[in-house]
Amino acid sequence: MPTKVILDVDTGTDDAVALMVAALSPDLELIGATTVNGNTAVHNCTENTLRVFDWIGRPEIPVRQGMSRPLARSQATQLNPASRIHGDLLDLPPRGADSRARLQPGHAVDWLIDTLLASDGDITLVPVGPLTNIATAIQKEPAILEKIPEIVIMGGAHDHGNSTASAEFNIWLDPEAARIVVNCGRQIRMIPLDATHRALVSLDDCRALRALGTPAGEAAARFVEKRIDGYDATQPMHRAGAAPVHDALAVCAVIDPTIVTAYFIPVDVETGGELSVGRTVCDFRFRSGRPANVQFAMDADEPKFVAMLTEILGRTA
Ligand code: RIB
Ligand code: CA
């Protein structure tokens, strides 16, 4: 039976690849997508998500728009230094009058609550942007918690941040929301930069994706080439001509948990430090005396990741 998932996205380029993997994988049933302020303003994230579903021929997947600003921080959106990696709107055809992908009525948070409460407790949440929607849903209706079997988060960093020296973007943009979610008591898996930076996709891989001849293969090649350009220019990885596709690794980890190497440890989120706000504090040596609450991934299988992307994005709707 496919695993039921909901993706919470701030669609940028890697969210877009994650959405295509989730929509096309036979191992997943994508119940819907919710958008949140993050890589760009939430209305852009919504338009981008709808463009993706139109492009791959899955316009029926419901999309609802969520929170436009973090829980407690002032900025409406932080166009992070990665803007060259994402931009505001994806390089896909703008939706026209004949577009079948439509924004559904109602706020994303209310839809998350209603959907989870009505479920059999079998929907995995996969947030790959700031955790504002998820935290708001938990605060508004704590009864959803018993209906969430697992939350698989793209976010966090132990060894190094990307928005600051200490913090990864999704956690840094809304640390108060992240702290609520990692301490919610449900099964949490985090796919942080420590894993995603060990699963890079190269220009050669993009040529192979384009050669698939599928809409998803073409779009993924286009998005990852943009990412490689941006990373080589602004956040060089350990090898040029390759970039992480963070959010897609989180979705692949739902499909095959062995694609990452994770450790069950106590993890919390710094919300007060001047230099460390947004840091995922990983207690590998259990110094805090607190119980483990997160499966925190510290490595990833790059060849397996590239092979999964190529196989899944070679499919059509
Ligand atoms: O730090 C990487 C994360 O921030 C990814 O989810 C990317 O899409 C951005 O949201
Ligand atoms: Ca994202």
Side-chain angles (χ1 to χ4, degrees):
M1 285 290 285
T3 300
K4 293 181 180 179
V5 295
I6 292 173
L7 263 63
D8 189 68
V9 292
D10 62 331
T11 305
T13 50
D14 60 329
D15 308 71
V17 180
L19 286 163
M20 295 191 291
V21 170
L24 295 171
S25 169
D27 297 312
L28 300 178
E29 180 184 350
L30 181 53
I31 302 291
T34 50
T35 62
V36 68
N37 164 69
N39 283 316
T40 180
V42 68
H43 63 272
N44 289 331
C45 300
T46 301
E47 170 61 24
N48 288 333
T49 302
L50 292 166
R51 286 189 185 184
V52 167
F53 288 149
D54 245 359
W55 178 259
I56 65 169
R58 292 297 311 276
E60 81 285 359
I61 298 175
V63 178
R64 283 176 178 79
Q65 185 163 301
M67 305 298 280
S68 62
R69 61 177 55 251
L71 291 187
R73 304 274 152 177
S74 58
Q75 68 270 35
T77 180
Q78 174 65 35
L79 203 54
N80 61 338
S83 59
R84 178 164 170 174
I85 294 167
H86 297 287
D88 279 332
L89 291 175
L90 291 178
D91 181 14
L92 287 177
R95 290 184 308 121
D98 60 344
S99 165
R100 292 173 53 213
R102 287 274 183 270
L103 175 61
Q104 298 302 306
H107 195 285
V109 169
D110 296 328
W111 179 79
L112 281 167
I113 292 169
D114 295 344
T115 303
L116 289 168
L117 289 179
S119 76
D120 294 330
D122 57 350
I123 303 175
T124 296
L125 295 186
V126 187
V128 293
L131 291 160
T132 316
N133 284 342
I134 310 301
T136 303
I138 292 171
Q139 287 184 313
K140 189 170 183 181
E141 183 46 87
I144 64 173
L145 286 171
E146 65 189 32
K147 291 284 194 154
I148 303 172
E150 185 177 29
I151 305 175
V152 181
I153 299 167
M154 190 282 135
H158 175 65
D159 187 31
H160 52 267
N162 59 3
S163 284
T164 71
S166 304
E168 177 278 327
F169 178 75
N170 288 339
I171 310 302
W172 173 78
L173 191 81
D174 197 342
E176 286 75 17
R179 190 165 210 187
I180 289 167
V181 176
V182 299
N183 290 295
C184 76
R186 303 307 289 168
Q187 184 173 307
I188 304 272
R189 264 193 285 162
M190 288 192 97
I191 313 297
L193 300 182
D194 306 86
T196 65
H197 285 184
R198 290 180 170 86
L200 304 184
V201 181
S202 70
L203 289 172
D204 281 344
D205 299 328
C206 291
R207 280 186 277 274
L209 287 167
R210 184 166 279 116
L212 293 169
T214 60
E218 167 57 35
R222 201 178 298 179
F223 300 151
V224 177
E225 284 164 350
K226 178 179 180 66
R227 295 180 61 78
I228 292 169
D229 168 72
Y231 267 88
D232 282 354
T234 65
Q235 293 181 61
M237 294 282 103
H238 51 276
R239 71 176 194 273
V245 189
H246 311 279
D247 300 341
L249 183 63
V251 172
C252 287
V254 177
I255 297 167
D256 179 358
T258 69
I259 201 169
V260 297
T261 304
Y263 300 86
F264 191 42
I265 56 170
V267 178
D268 206 342
V269 176
E270 176 61 70
T271 56
E274 177 191 353
L275 301 178
S276 56
V277 63
R279 179 173 179 77
T280 43
V281 179
C282 299
D283 188 4
F284 285 97
R285 299 177 188 274
F286 289 82
R287 295 292 82 210
S288 64
R290 297 175 59 182
N293 59 325
V294 173
Q295 288 279 1
F296 195 87
M298 287 296 285
D299 199 358
D301 184 330
E302 182 174 281
K304 178 179 278 192
F305 177 50
V306 172
M308 280 183 78
L309 286 183
T310 308
E311 195 282 324
I312 295 167
L313 300 175
R315 295 170 177 265
T316 54

